[in-house]
């Protein structure tokens, strides 16, 4: 099983390369690797339009802020915990956004499958708002399964902080 964390300001050292990659703001990390970096590494597998759309989608939708940006993060946490559903894209949860920190600009979302003991994140897709807008699916191998108790503990801790 994978381990989920939500960390502030992540630096990730790439194997065989010098220097670390610094990702600002709150970051989802899975097994100690930023989700944003994993998805950016998969960008070459997307069509040209999808690569362009995902160029700056590095920021978790969950940010510790006291302004209206916090609402999107609180919503995403409720969606991840199965307490509510994203009306614009039912069945999907927004996870990563761009530097503008607006879900309305562009987003990478996933389908979250909650079972009794596990939670699975899969079918990652980059898209702009609107039900008629074409989305760009990431490779299906990008799927993560978490222990539900560990997963939900991280989310509840984040809820308490924003």
């Amino acid at each position: 099983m994978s381990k989920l964390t939500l960390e502030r300001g992540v630096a990730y050292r790439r194997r065989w390369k010098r220097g670390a990659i610094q990702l600002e703001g709150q970051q989802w990390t899975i097994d100690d690797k930023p989700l944003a970096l994993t998805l950016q590494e998969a960008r070459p597998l997307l069509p040209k339009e999808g690569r362009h759309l995902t160029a700056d989608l590095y920021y978790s939708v969950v940010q510790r802020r006291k302004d209206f940006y916090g609402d999107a993060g609180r919503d995403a946490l409720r969606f991840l915990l199965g307490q509510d559903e994203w009306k614009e894209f039912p069945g999907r949860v927004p996870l990563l956004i761009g530097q503008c920190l607006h879900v309305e600009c562009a987003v990478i979302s996933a389908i979250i499958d909650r079972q009794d003991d596990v939670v699975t994140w899969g079918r990652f897709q980059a898209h702009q708002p609107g039900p008629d807008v074409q989305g760009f699916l990431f490779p299906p191998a990008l799927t993560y399964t978490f222990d539900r108790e560990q997963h939900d503990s991280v989310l509840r801790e984040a809820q308490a902080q924003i």
Side-chain angles (χ1 to χ4, degrees):
M1 294 227 189
S2 297
K3 180 182 176 192
L4 176 69
T5 56
L6 184 62
E7 300 178 24
R8 184 167 184 83
V10 175
Y12 180 76
R13 185 172 211 103
R14 293 174 107 178
R15 191 174 180 182
W16 310 114
K17 301 214 180 191
R18 293 185 177 196
I21 297 170
Q22 182 70 34
L23 298 175
E24 305 274 331
Q26 294 287 103
Q27 291 292 324
W28 297 111
T29 59
I30 299 174
D31 298 330
D32 298 320
K33 183 175 180 181
L35 175 62
L37 182 58
T38 299
L39 294 173
Q40 288 299 315
E41 289 172 349
R43 283 181 61 227
L45 301 173
L46 297 175
K48 182 178 179 181
E49 298 85 4
R51 290 192 306 270
H52 178 72
L53 178 64
T54 59
D56 78 337
L57 300 180
Y58 282 102
Y59 300 88
S60 165
V61 70
V62 177
Q63 296 293 324
R64 292 182 188 164
R65 297 177 65 119
K66 299 291 184 195
D67 51 24
F68 63 90
Y69 297 116
D71 291 340
R74 283 186 284 279
D75 288 346
L77 291 169
R78 284 196 335 272
F79 303 156
L80 285 165
L81 287 164
Q83 300 169 345
D84 202 355
E85 188 171 63
W86 192 13
K87 303 296 184 237
E88 191 159 342
F89 292 95
R92 294 200 148 276
V93 174
L95 295 173
L96 297 174
I97 53 178
Q99 196 169 15
C100 72
L101 299 180
H102 284 283
V103 172
E104 293 80 19
C105 294
V107 65
I108 295 176
S109 66
I111 291 179
I112 310 302
D113 181 26
R114 295 181 59 83
Q115 300 295 320
D116 291 338
D117 296 333
V118 297
V119 177
T120 302
W121 291 14
R123 297 194 40 89
F124 291 90
Q125 180 174 331
H127 50 90
Q128 293 175 312
D132 299 328
V133 177
Q134 178 185 6
F136 303 96
L137 281 172
F138 283 84
L142 290 173
T143 299
Y144 301 98
T145 300
F146 308 100
D147 173 80
R148 183 171 170 167
E149 188 175 314
Q150 188 274 328
H151 175 272
D152 290 0
S153 174
V154 169
L155 302 179
R156 284 191 295 274
E157 183 179 321
Q159 277 184 318
Q161 295 176 4
I162 61 169

